[in-house]
Structure formats: structure tokens, C-alpha cells
Amino acid sequence: MTSVAVIAHQGKSLGGGLRELRALLEARGVTDPIWFEVPKSKKAPKRVKKAIAAGADLIFVWGGDGMVQRCLDALGDERATVAILPAGTANLLATNLEIPQDLEAAVEIGLYGDRRRIDTGRLDGERFAVMAGVGLDALMIRDADGTLKDRFGRLSYVLTGAKHLRLPRFNAKVRIDGEPWFDGAAGCVLVGNVSSIFGGVDVFPHAEVDSGRLEVGVITAKGVTQWLRALSRTALGKAEQSPFVQVTTAAKVRIDLDRAMPAELDGGDRPARKRIKLKVEPASVTVCVPAGSSSTGAPALKAGQ
């Protein structure tokens, strides 16, 4: 028998809210789920561990990418399955896994959909499922967090990103699987686990969430004009054709910077640092996806397998 837990970010909304979620679960026979509500995503990891200790093997996560990231990181080596209820601002992992922003549909996927083992990355020991980076993306996310994001949603990223386009570049040395790959001035270094990482834009169109590899991109754009050229190519799904973008794949990545730069992880800001180590963890977590989903290439498991 499946033991169900719910870990919900109180500040996020979807459909009729948490009251409707309780009703939908009850109507499907889940009458007494393990239930935790948290005021911020940083509080979620302790609840994940409590839910697992209480026997939960299916955990519904109510929130955005930051909330999902915190919960996936807290799983450790536990094989509990995560069902995403996309109540956040961007919901990029849910989008890449074809989970709709429809509460009833997301509950159905959690209870009756396929189970798929997907890769995650690790940045200096912390797990992520969507992306990690340093430079413009991290500055954009850092400045959008809080009141601005609550007020303007996705538009807040555009507003904060625009003000950083003129910032001087940093010098970066990037090693891919132990070998030198990039050495020069950059405005952003991105490492992605999925294809769509910004507002539905396929920054890494060839990415597979279960490929056993991470996508790596360096943007060398300088000034507003070059950034707009690079971003316009990216928006068209042709980032690789931009003279200001270099991409590759990796199992391990090391990034050394000439000065400390803010970092970001699945839409959450992290402290500035000069050195970053990342690696892929193949098939490290199990998530619920729509039955027959084509979002990834690996065989899916039926509920209960």
C-alpha cells in the first residue's frame, strides 16, 4: 500500500488551493495523508525527512521549482516518489515533464501516472533538477526574489535581468570531465538538466532528463547589443548558432572564476563563490509523469512498480 504525504508551500497557489487538494485526495481514497505546510521552501527538507520516517513513499510537493529542489535534495538516497503540484512562478521541471498547471490533473498523475527515474545534478553537494549557474542568471534570480516576484511573477526576471546587461564580464575557466574546455571572459555560465529553462525557451534543445549528462553553456556576450543578439537566438531555439554562445555536455564540470559571483540553483539564489563543482547523478530520483509521457526517453514504471 502507498503511504501519501503532502508538503506544501503556504505562499503558493494552484486551483482551489490546499482545501481543494485535500478534497481531491479524499475522493480518491487518500483520507489521512501525512500533511505538512511550510512558510518558505527552506523549511521543507525537515518535513521531507519526517514524512519518510513516518513511512511515506509518495510525496506530493506543492510549490515551484525552488520548493521541488529542496524536497528532492532532502530525499538523499531514499527511493520515495515525488509528485509535483506546480504552484510556483515558473514550474520549469513540471513543464519539462509535461505536468500541467491543473490541480486535478496533477493529482491524477501523482496517484495513477507513470513513475520515471530522472537524473539530477549536484552543485557543491546540493542537488538540483532544472539548472544551476553563475553570472547574469544568478543576478536576475537574486534581485527578483521576494516582493518583486510576488508582484510581477515571471516578468520580474525580465525587469531584473535588463538592468544587468551592461555589467562587466568575469573571467572563467571551465573544465569538462577533467579536460579544459573554456578559458575567457563570460557573462553567464549555465548548467542544465532539462531543455526548457527560461519561460518555455529551449535553451538546451537536445537535453534529456535521463541522458546521464548535463548540458553546459557559456555566454560571452558583452553589452546590451550582444546580449540581445544572444538571447534572440536562444528564444528561437538556436542558441548554438550564436557567436556569443558555446555549449557542450558533461558528467562533471568545474568552473573557476576570477572573482566571486552569485550562483543560482533551480531558481533560488545561492551565495557568491569563485569555484563551482558540478556532477550528474543518473537516475537518482523518481517522479510522477503523465501515463505514456514522451518527455523523456527511458522506460517508465507503472504506479506500484
Side-chain angles (χ1 to χ4, degrees):
M1 294 292 292
T2 297
S3 179
V4 176
V6 172
I7 301 177
H9 191 309
Q10 295 168 334
K12 305 299 180 179
S13 62
L14 179 65
L18 294 173
R19 180 176 297 180
E20 182 185 3
L21 174 58
R22 283 187 181 273
L24 289 170
L25 290 173
E26 185 172 358
R28 289 156 179 78
V30 183
T31 57
D32 189 25
I34 302 164
W35 193 282
F36 296 106
E37 296 180 26
V38 296
K40 55 180 65 176
S41 61
K42 290 181 180 180
K43 302 287 186 180
K46 288 185 178 180
R47 276 57 176 192
V48 171
K49 295 184 184 300
K50 286 185 177 181
I52 291 173
D57 50 17
L58 174 60
I59 301 175
F60 281 92
V61 178
W62 172 286
D65 289 307
M67 181 71 172
V68 174
Q69 182 270 322
R70 297 282 187 182
C71 291
L72 292 179
D73 187 46
L75 283 178
D77 295 327
E78 298 289 343
R79 279 295 180 178
T81 299
V82 170
I84 302 172
L85 300 172
T89 302
N91 306 302
L92 293 172
L93 183 58
T95 298
N96 279 276
L97 295 175
E98 301 178 7
I99 300 169
Q101 282 186 274
D102 177 280
L103 181 54
E104 185 169 4
V107 170
E108 289 286 317
I109 291 168
L111 293 176
Y112 312 118
D114 291 342
R115 273 56 177 149
R116 191 175 296 280
R117 295 189 180 106
I118 68 170
D119 305 337
T120 56
R122 281 207 180 262
L123 184 155
D124 295 339
E126 188 176 3
R127 179 179 282 165
F128 65 93
V130 178
M131 63 177 175
V134 290
L136 178 71
D137 62 312
L139 292 166
M140 177 179 68
I141 287 168
R142 182 197 67 186
D143 292 353
D145 200 23
T147 303
L148 193 65
K149 188 166 73 171
D150 292 341
R151 182 176 179 184
F152 294 107
R154 293 186 187 182
L155 179 59
S156 63
Y157 297 126
V158 177
L159 297 174
T160 59
K163 76 176 187 179
H164 291 298
L165 294 183
R166 291 186 174 86
L167 287 180
R169 296 177 295 177
F170 51 86
N171 288 321
K173 294 181 179 180
V174 182
R175 297 180 69 88
I176 300 297
D177 298 331
E179 298 295 327
W181 174 68
F182 176 88
D183 186 349
C188 177
V189 182
L190 279 174
V191 178
N193 188 46
V194 297
S195 61
S196 178
I197 63 174
F198 283 124
V201 176
D202 285 338
V203 177
F204 299 116
H206 305 299
E208 296 283 354
V209 78
D210 51 12
S211 66
R213 304 283 288 179
L214 295 171
E215 303 287 322
V216 185
V218 174
I219 302 178
T220 60
K222 175 183 177 182
V224 175
T225 301
Q226 291 186 4
W227 267 107
L228 291 178
R229 287 177 61 188
L231 293 173
S232 63
R233 286 286 180 92
T234 301
L236 293 172
K238 300 178 180 179
E240 296 177 0
Q241 298 179 16
S242 171
F244 309 114
V245 178
Q246 297 185 38
V247 296
T248 189
T249 66
K252 293 183 179 181
V253 185
R254 172 170 163 166
I255 306 168
D256 290 287
L257 309 175
D258 66 338
R259 63 184 185 273
M261 294 293 296
E264 62 90 2
L265 202 67
D266 283 2
D269 66 295
R270 295 296 186 272
R273 59 198 76 191
K274 291 181 66 176
R275 177 177 294 172
I276 297 173
K277 294 182 179 180
L278 307 101
K279 66 177 181 179
V280 69
E281 293 188 327
S284 53
V285 297
T286 303
V287 297
C288 302
V289 297
S293 171
S294 60
S295 57
T296 57
L301 304 174
K302 294 298 181 184
Q305 286 187 281

